[in-house]
């Protein structure tokens, strides 16, 4: 949500379809492939990255302790923690200030998140979670391909496809297993979206 609000306060060259999420945290204007990108609310975006990363990290630990059985569940928790730590790093190291450090903390997110979803789906025996993992994998492959070929079109769209489904889905899973009786069947087992 913060991303959408901050994107409304950027230069006209910024595009959700063609610009990266990290560009919203740029602390100064920069030119990328001929587009001048300025994010007036960059401080708020970087604080949001750190906050979201902390909540993702804490949420993964709490969810894992409560609802993700087996090795796949434990591995999923570890990968969600990697994603959370990477997101914190993205907020602390804006891409325009230190591109190498930013990449170092951001790249693991794109590996960890689809794998975390896949392992979560296996742990919970949830086909819908595995489908979301597939969407995330498609986004990661598209995003990486566009970056490696220095393409200018749809890099933002593929990055969002890589990340947004997982962020929304982990919230769905958390809601399904939270609370004393939330998402419970009559047998007492957690009801997870199939």
């Amino acid at each position: 949500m913060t991303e959408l609000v901050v994107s409304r306060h950027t230069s006209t060259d910024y595009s959700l379809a063609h610009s990266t999420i990290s560009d919203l945290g740029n602390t100064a204007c920069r030119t990328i492939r001929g587009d001048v990108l300025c994010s007036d609310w960059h401080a708020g975006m970087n604080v949001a990255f750190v906050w979201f990363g902390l909540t993702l990290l804490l949420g993964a630990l709490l969810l894992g302790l409560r609802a993700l059985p087996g090795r796949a569940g434990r591995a999923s928790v570890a990968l969600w923690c990697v994603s959370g730590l990477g997101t914190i790093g993205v907020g602390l190291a804006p891409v325009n200030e230190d591109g190498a450090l930013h990449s170092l903390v951001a790249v693991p997110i794109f590996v960890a998140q689809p794998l975390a979803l896949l392992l979560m789906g296996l742990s919970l025996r949830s086909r819908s979670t595995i489908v979301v993992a597939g969407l995330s994998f498609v986004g990661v492959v598209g995003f990486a391909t566009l970056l490696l070929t220095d393409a200018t079109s749809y890099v933002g769209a593929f990055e969002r496809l890589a990340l947004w489904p997982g962020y929304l889905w982990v919230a769905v899973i958390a809601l399904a297993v939270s609370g004393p009786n939330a998402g419970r069947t009559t047998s007492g087992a957690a009801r997870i979206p199939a």
Side-chain angles (χ1 to χ4, degrees), residues 64 82 86 110:
V82 167
F110 294 95

Side-chain angles (χ1 to χ4, degrees), residues 2 41-54 91-92:
T2 303
W41 288 17
H42 60 84
M45 190 69 226
N46 288 323
V47 168
F49 282 139
V50 172
W51 175 254
F52 181 71
L54 286 170
L92 296 175

